[in-house]
Structure formats: C-alpha cells, structure tokens
Amino acid sequence: MVFTSAMSAAGSLLAAVPAAALVLLTVAVRPREVGAVAPLRLGVVRAVLLGGAYAVLVVEVLGASHALTRPAFAVAWLLFLAAAATAAGLRWRRDTRLGQQSAAAPMPVDAEPVTVGTTPVTVGTAPRPVPVGAVVSGGGPDGAAPAPDPAPARAGRGPAGLLAVAVDTWRTARPGERLLAGTIGGLVLVELLVALLAEPNNFDSQTYHLPKVEHWVAQGDLDFWPTAIHRQVTIPPGAEYLLLHLRLLTGGDQLYNLVQWAAGVVCLLVAARITAQLGGGRRAQLLTAFVLATTPMVVLQATSTQTDLICAAWVACAATVVLDGLRRRTGWGTLLGLGAATGLTAVTKTSGLIAVGPLLVLWGLAQLRLARTERSASVSPAAADPTPSEPAAPGRRSWSVGGLASTVGGSVVILVVAAVVVGPFLARVTAEFGHPLGPPRLRESIPMERHDPASIVVNALRIGHTAFDTPLAPLRRAGAEVIISGAEAVGVDPQDRAITFGRELFPEPAWYPDEDRVAFPLAGALAGIGAVIALARPRRIVPERAGSLRAYAVVVLAAALLHTAMIKWQPWGNRLLLYAVVLAVPLAGLWLDALLRNRAGGRRSVATVAAVTVLATSALAGVLALSYGFPRRLVGAGSVFTTSDWDTRFLRRPQWADEFRWAATAVQDSGARRVGLAQQNDNWEYPWWLLLRRPDGGSPDLVALQSVLPERPPADPSSVDAIVCTGNKAACAKLVPAGWRLEFRGYVGYALPPGR
C-alpha cells in the first residue's frame, strides 16, 4: 500500500506562484483615483476577482482540451505571474513618475502644509472631497471617522510607504483598537497554523468535494462519470476548481485548507471595507472585522475544505463593488468585476445568488439615479455638482437616454461576464440532465417546495432558532415548542418534507463548535440590532451616509428573507447562511461604534458596558472554537499536534480508519489494478483515492459499479480485478460476481475473484 502526503520542493515553489501573482496584481490594479475608499483593500478585491475568474477559465479551457495536467497548469500560472509582474512594474513606474512630478511642482500660494498622521501633505484652498473611511490611519475623537487623506498619497503606495502607514496607524491607535487588531491577527495566524497542520477531514469533502478533484485528475478532463454519488457531478464545482490547481501543482492535498483560510481573510478585509464605504471610521472597521473573525463558524471553516467561506468571499466582493457604484457611474473595470463576482458565486454555490441578486438591483437603481442626476446637471447649472446633501432640484430632473442606455448596457456586460464564468458548467449539466439546475432529486431536496406565507414563516422561524442556538438547553426546548405549536396552529406540519431537508427532524442542537452546524447567536444578534437601527434611524449611526446605510440594510434584509423563502430548514443550514452573516456584520460594527462614540449619560454607559461584555464573550467563543472546535482543534483529543495524519482524516468517524486500511491492503496485495466501487450517496470515497494510489503517485483506476446518471452506465463487476465497498453489506453483495470472496468489517468491505 502506498500513501504519500509529502509535498515536493518543486510543488512548494509552484504553489507559491498563484500567491505571488495575486500580490503583484493587487499592486497593478489598485485604484488610481484620489479619494478611493480603502484603496489597498479595493486592490485586493480586484485582484482576487481577476485571479478567481482566471483560475476557473483555466480549468474550463484545459478541461475542454483534455489537458488537466501539471505542466499545463504550471505554464498557465507562470504566464499569469509574468503578466501580473509586467502590469505591476508599469504601474510602479507610472506612480514614481507622477510622484516626482508632484514633488517638483511649486506649492501654490493659496496652499498650506498640513499633517495626516506623521506625513506632511499639501492641501489647496479647495481640497477634493474624500469619502469617510478612505484611509485607516489616524482617526477622530473616540475613533469616530478617520481623518481624510486629501492628497493622492502616491509616495505612500510603495512597500516602504505602506509600512510607514501601518506603523503610524499602530502608533496612533487607542489601546482598545490595538486589542481588537491584535485579537483578529492572532486568530488569523493560529487558523493558518491549523490549516497547514491538519489533513482535510470534512465529511462532505470525503464524499464528493475531494473525489471530484481526483476524478478530474484521473480523466484529464471535466466530463461527467458514472457515480452513485450525484453530488460529485451536480453541485457547482467552483471551490473544487481552486483545489484542482493546488492538487496538480503540488501533487497532493497538503495545502487544500488554505483556500478557505484565504477566503476568510478576504471576507475580513472586504467586510471592513464595506464598513468604511458606509461611513465607518477605523474603530468601526476593526469592530466589524472583530465580530466576524470571532464568529465560530468563520473560525472553523477557515481551516476546512468546505465551500461556504469561498462563496461568502465572492458575495462580499460583489457587495463592496456595488457600494462603489452608489455615488459614481460604473466604468468598464467595475462592470467586469461585478460580472466576475456574480459568475464566481454561481459556479461556487448557487445559494449565494440570493444575495447577489438584490445587490445587483441596488446597483442598477443607483446607476439609474445617477443617470437622472446627470441629465439634471446638463440642464441646470445650479445642479452641476449634486451631492447627497445637495441633490439636484427635483423639478428639473429628467431621464438621460445615454445614461439609461449605459445602465442597460452595463447590466448586459455583467450578465455576459458571469455567463462566461459559469456557463460551461451549466451547459454540461443541461446536456446531462436536461435542466441547468441538475436532476429532480437535487432541485427538490434543498429548495423550498411550498411558498404559502404560513410555510415560509414557519421555515424562517426554524432557521432562526437553529442560527441563534445557545448551550442553554431549556431555552432551546422552549423556543422549539413555541415554533412547533405555532406551526400546528396555522396548519403547517413543522416536519413537512416540502419545507424540511431529507428525513431530518426539527429541532436540532447547533451550539456546539462544529464546522458544519455551529450557531452564531452573538454575531447574529449584533447584526440584527444594527440592521433595525440602520433601517429606522440611520442618521444615528452615520449621518453623512444615512441613505447608503439604509439601502444596504434593505439588501441584507431582503437576502435573509429570500433565503428563508427559498431554502429548506436543515440541521447544518447555518453554514449555508455564512454569506448573509458576512454581509450583515458591517451593520453590527457601525452600530457598536456609534454606541461607543455616544457614551455620555448613565443609560449609554450601561449600554457601553453591555457592548464590551458581548465583545468579550464573542472573543471567548472564537478562541474556544479554535481551541476545541470539531473536527480540527488545538488541544484535547484529536489535537492537530498529537494526532497522526491518517487519524486526523477520520476524526469524524475514527472507527473507519483501520477498516479502510485493512481493505486497501488486501486489494493491493492481490495485485488488482482495476478496482470497482460499491457505495451509496453519502459514503466516503476519497480514502480509496489515497490508499490505492499507484507506486509512482499516479491515480488509481477506480470505476463505479452503480450510477445515478442515466446516460452514464456503471462498469460491469466482472470487468474489474477487485471490488471495495462502503456502507451497506447487502447492497455490496448484490454486485459481487458469483464465486468471489467477500469480506466485510463494519463499514468497509472488499471482494476478490478466485485465486487472488
């Protein structure tokens, strides 16, 4: 038996190429305009969207060419690295030249030097306005809103300048802000350690996420294959496309967990930027990142091979790009970014489109409003430069044909780009099943099948009960009894299969720190309060961004309502809500910052103490999830420091570890080369790909003996040299040819022909 988990030096170097390319790309695509909100983070958003779209298209193009091989992927990424380096070099020279010209220009007589942080800049008598939160250094009283950067700050865009800004930011930060930043950084770094040390051990990953990658590698293309596990071919594969790059570049799965870890970092950066776009200063941004970083679901998924954080990252990128379009017309680059974010969301997890849809509606309405404003400006000199505080005269507004056409054309561009990203997968699914959403069993298992108001309300209450679960069992039972009684009173069966996934029964405890189901009562409650205040009294939070804040809160609320109206309740449904949590947390950060800022008076002092207590509890929850969370933890039984690589993979089902080894050893000792798979829809397939790998590291020849794809018949059992089974022994026995020897031990079995 051969099982190799070591990564070669060449694999390590190749794996660093995509990361280096994204860093260079961030330098190349960061915004040029003066006053961009959090420009470095916007550069990261643009880079990850471009890099993500490129990664997906590389897989599609090479898959269509039957060239899913290591050399092909290495060449693709080296070319991307060269292009990113060239673009970054050109941008660097341009910024250096403009910086020198700016330094050589004489100071206007009506200008005077002022200081932002420790950097002197020159400001004329009419400095250009900069959105609140444009930079994170400095800050107003109580961390309210950071001092705007009135200069282009080109000198601070190089590594030395960024380091100087970071040092100055830390020096000027208040102790509370340093504590927030330190906690966030500590959690992220420890999560990185766990992600590197732990072997992939997510349940769904063993069943279909990782076997999907191995099938592609073995085939060299993306064609569907006979399988008893329909999710291997019907569930959108965007996250697995990213894993495929690492699999081919490194030769193994050692770095798989880093994809979700990186997605978690993107979520933190983008959530903080959304807070800045909505008017939040440095402290509000740190509070947002802190609440999100300490949410147990985020902590646990950041070291996993699940797909929910990746989906949340794409949705968050779409949100921050949309917010940029609320106050200015959208250019080609932004349109491409929105299209890429939409397509990447669709190809990763279609549930994320529940949020992307309302976001695109908000973008379209904002662009139409700006088109109307442009028309008003063209006919009224008094409205030539309308601002939120000084809108164009209502009586003089009229629609601009050019503006309308631009908005419609931009919408078409977004849809076309999204179709380019997700279209090839949807085409394969449609060709296979006659429907872009897959077979009926998939379309009916997760989406709601009843949409009457009573059923939707019951479903929403059950989802909320699971999302806000706590260790207080009496509270859980009391809440569930109220929901069940209420459902029966309005004539809805609380266990109705039309609104409940599979054969699951409500309620189900969800407080324990498990990556698939852990609740988020603190983050959810804070975001809920922030959303209510943003809808009812937005000026109490950010007076200068009240309209944008309320519009964003409406989008978050719409996404939550649509989710409960479209997705059935399920015990592990909390992870499906992760994209909504990431979108909603900025509302929590803004509200908490406003609460801490307005702390005069007895009642407000009490509220401040309560907020600090909640934040401390949130930090404790995050630390405990990282320390004792399941199935990857720092301490206790199953610790990543004390558990072997193989046993780590089986922490979900420890009893299966030896059983898989036992069967695989017997099959390999028999000299079998072509091995048949007998399994059911939720069985673990991935261990066979590891244990039966060829001595040279090549993929084993594994074929399914059952198939749920009508056009893909399974292999004949008599055509294989051995059979490996998981799950039901009786089901396996039906597939074993007469005269073969069948051995079974618990969950795993194998069958060999006579003489082997």
Side-chain angles (χ1 to χ4, degrees), residues 99-430:
Q100 291 172 347
Q101 292 174 356
S102 176
M107 181 183 296
V109 256
D110 58 348
E112 58 179 355
V114 298
T115 299
V116 178
T118 59
T119 306
V121 296
T122 301
V123 186
T125 54
R128 283 167 286 189
V130 180
V132 175
V135 293
V136 296
S137 61
D142 296 324
D149 183 359
R154 300 190 187 279
R157 287 182 173 177
L162 292 176
L163 179 60
V165 171
V167 171
D168 184 60
T169 300
W170 183 262
R171 183 184 63 81
T172 59
R174 293 170 173 268
E177 294 172 344
R178 293 183 181 181
L179 180 60
L180 292 172
T183 303
I184 297 166
L187 286 172
V188 169
L189 290 177
V190 177
E191 289 163 6
L192 174 61
L193 176 65
V194 175
L196 290 171
L197 292 178
E199 302 294 321
N201 61 1
N202 173 262
F203 194 104
D204 284 348
S205 295
Q206 307 283 1
T207 299
Y208 68 96
H209 289 310
L210 304 188
K212 187 184 301 186
V213 175
E214 294 301 322
H215 278 285
W216 293 332
V217 174
Q219 297 176 172
D221 57 40
L222 300 175
D223 290 346
F224 291 162
W225 53 90
T227 178
I229 304 173
H230 78 88
R231 291 175 293 174
Q232 290 183 357
V233 296
T234 57
I235 298 293
E240 291 88 345
Y241 281 176
L242 303 181
L243 296 180
L244 177 62
H245 286 267
L246 291 177
R247 170 67 175 85
L248 289 173
L249 293 177
T250 67
D253 61 10
Q254 298 77 28
L255 301 182
Y256 277 6
N257 293 332
L258 293 185
V259 176
Q260 281 256 114
W261 177 83
V265 173
V266 171
C267 286
L268 294 177
L269 294 174
V270 177
R273 183 173 191 265
I274 290 173
T275 305
Q277 290 173 289
L278 296 174
R282 180 173 62 194
R283 186 174 62 190
Q285 297 171 51
L286 285 172
L287 286 168
T288 294
F290 179 87
V291 172
L292 186 59
T294 55
T295 300
M297 180 66 77
V298 174
V299 171
L300 293 170
Q301 287 230 1
T303 62
S304 172
T305 48
Q306 263 294 5
T307 62
D308 304 284
L309 265 181
I310 300 173
C311 174
W314 300 136
V315 173
C317 287
T320 195
V321 174
V322 164
L323 288 177
D324 278 338
L326 297 188
R327 292 175 175 270
R328 63 173 179 267
R329 297 290 291 169
T330 298
W332 280 101
T334 302
L335 291 174
L336 295 176
L338 276 176
T342 303
L344 289 168
T345 301
V347 81
T348 301
K349 212 174 189 72
T350 51
S351 58
L353 294 176
I354 294 174
V356 173
L359 284 168
L360 292 179
V361 170
L362 176 62
W363 170 84
L365 293 175
Q367 292 297 296
L368 289 174
R369 171 183 171 275
L370 290 172
R372 195 178 185 190
T373 302
E374 287 173 358
R375 177 62 177 169
S376 172
S378 68
V379 299
S380 173
D385 186 22
T387 66
S389 58
E390 296 179 286
R396 299 193 178 188
R397 287 191 179 187
S398 60
W399 295 109
S400 165
V401 175
L404 288 172
S406 176
T407 302
V408 173
S411 302
V412 172
V413 169
I414 292 171
L415 295 178
V416 168
V417 173
V420 169
V421 175
V422 72
F425 168 70
L426 294 181
R428 288 194 297 274
V429 173
T430 303

Side-chain angles (χ1 to χ4, degrees), residues 491-589:
V492 176
D493 179 2
Q495 314 298 350
D496 186 356
R497 298 302 101 190
I499 62 173
T500 305
F501 180 85
R503 300 181 180 275
E504 305 301 324
L505 297 177
F506 172 83
E508 183 73 22
W511 64 268
Y512 185 78
D514 182 299
E515 67 174 353
D516 285 335
R517 64 179 65 197
V518 63
F520 36 83
L522 293 177
L526 292 173
I529 295 172
V532 170
I533 298 177
L535 289 169
R537 300 289 181 87
R539 293 188 180 278
R540 288 190 175 184
I541 300 179
V542 280
E544 67 281 4
R545 291 288 188 273
S548 298
L549 178 60
R550 177 175 282 162
Y552 184 78
V554 168
V555 167
V556 172
L557 178 61
L561 294 177
L562 287 172
H563 185 99
T564 58
M566 298 175 67
I567 306 295
K568 293 178 179 178
W569 175 87
Q570 50 190 285
W572 43 88
N574 287 341
R575 65 182 180 82
L576 302 182
L577 278 168
L578 195 53
Y579 72 90
V581 174
V582 173
L583 284 186
V585 161
L587 301 176

Side-chain angles (χ1 to χ4, degrees), residues 591-613:
W591 169 69
L592 287 171
D593 179 64
L595 184 67
L596 295 173
R597 186 169 64 244
N598 302 322
R599 57 189 178 188
R603 290 185 179 179
R604 289 176 178 170
S605 297
V606 172
T608 300
V609 172
V612 172
T613 302

